[in-house]
Amino acid sequence: MSSIDSAAEWVEIGRIVAPQGVRGEVRVYPDSDFPERFLNPGDRWLRRTPTSAPEAITLVSGRFLAGKGLYVLRLAGVTTREQAESLRDAVLLVAAGDRPPLDANEFYVRDLLGLEVRLQEDAAPVGTVVDVFSAGNDLLAVALNPSFTEQDPPKPVLIPLVPEIVPVVDVAGGYVEITPPPGLLTL
C-alpha cells in the first residue's frame, strides 16, 4: 500500500452498514457516482470513527445488490461475520487526488458546494450552494441572500441542475449562473 500524507483531503465513497453472510463480506451504502470504486480490486482507506485516522485496506472484490442500492464487498483480512460486524458504520475513503476524470458538463458534488449563485441576466448574487440532492436530476440547495427572501433565517431553495436553468457552472471561477423560471426563487 502506498502512503498518504496525513494532511491529504479525503473523499467519502461509502459507509459500511452491515455484514453480509458469515464469510466476512460487508454491505456498503455508496456515496459515489463511480461504481468502479466498489467493483475494481485495489487500495482503499477505512475510517472507523469520525475522529480516527484513515487506515489502508484492500478491496478484494465487490458486487452490486440490485434492488437494494448497496454493494457487497470482500475486504482483505476480513474473513468472519464478527470482523465484518466490527466495521459497521466505518466509512470507505479515497484520497481527493484519486478522483476519476469527468466528462464535459459533469461535476463533483463537493466542488459545487460553496459556489456563489448569480442571475445570468445581470450577475446579481442570489445565494450560495449549500448542498446537492440527487433526484430525477440533481438539485442545488441554495441558501438565498436576504435580498431574495423575507424569511429569517432563509430556507434553502432547490434549483434543478439542468442547462435550461443553470446554463453556466464555473467551478474555477467559484460561481454558477441561473436563469430561474418565475416563482423558483420565492418561497
Side-chain angles (χ1 to χ4, degrees), residues 99-120:
R99 303 191 307 182
L102 298 174
D103 292 332
N105 298 320
E106 289 185 328
F107 313 96
Y108 289 107
V109 169
R110 73 181 287 155
D111 291 344
L112 297 174
L113 300 178
L115 293 182
E116 180 183 52
V117 179
R118 303 174 182 169
L119 293 176
Q120 188 174 39

Side-chain angles (χ1 to χ4, degrees), residues 41-64:
D43 296 346
R44 304 295 186 278
W45 299 85
L46 182 76
R47 181 177 287 147
R48 293 177 186 262
T49 67
T51 58
S52 64
E55 57 189 80
I57 195 156
T58 300
L59 172 64
V60 175
S61 64
R63 66 185 188 278
F64 184 68

